[in-house]
Amino acid sequence: MVSGHWPHAELDGDHAAAIAQGISARLTGLLAENGSSLNAISKTAAVNRQTIVNIIDGLAWPTIAVLADLERALGTSFALDPTLWSGQDTMDTGLSGRADTTRQSPERVTIQRRKRDVR
């Protein structure tokens, strides 16, 4: 996070964090819209209540299985909705599906990992 508070903070361009932030915000909104308690959703989704709290607070990123269970319990699909994170990160919106080239190349990341592993 660059500034602000989760889930409405300004991020540093990390695409995964932007997705997690969007999921957190949408999950919070859905719980409020449905008037559902965390205990009720936890029971219906068979997901630990603290896990849901951690997802909302940005302390944990949900697995696909947990997202599927939460979507089923809430009766809606929200995790793969690109509007949750559009404009918040550096992903190219064109057809190429390639990330912004200002990020480190995979080759550079590999070199950095090799240097780290040698130490």
Side-chain angles (χ1 to χ4, degrees):
M1 291 190 319
V2 174
S3 65
H5 299 283
W6 193 267
H8 305 289
E10 180 184 347
L11 300 177
D12 64 359
D14 184 291
H15 186 64
I19 292 171
Q21 183 181 47
I23 288 170
S24 172
R26 182 70 173 127
L27 180 56
T28 301
L30 287 169
L31 289 170
E33 284 174 26
N34 293 343
S36 301
S37 72
L38 286 174
N39 288 334
I41 292 300
S42 172
K43 185 176 180 179
T44 303
V47 173
N48 182 284
R49 182 185 182 281
Q50 189 60 51
T51 299
I52 298 170
V53 170
N54 289 345
I55 292 167
I56 289 170
D57 291 344
L59 300 174
W61 292 0
T63 64
I64 292 171
V66 167
L67 285 173
D69 290 340
L70 290 171
E71 286 182 336
R72 181 182 39 78
L74 291 165
T76 188
S77 178
F78 64 90
L80 297 178
D81 181 357
T83 62
L84 293 178
W85 59 82
S86 63
Q88 294 181 13
D89 63 18
T90 58
M91 288 301 291
D92 180 359
T93 57
L95 295 176
S96 70
R98 300 176 74 182
D100 184 338
T101 57
T102 60
R103 298 180 132 209
Q104 291 185 349
S105 70
E107 295 82 13
R108 183 174 176 151
V109 171
T110 301
I111 291 167
Q112 288 174 338
R113 285 183 183 150
R114 283 185 192 144
K115 286 179 181 178
R116 182 190 66 215
D117 292 342
V118 170
R119 293 181 196 164

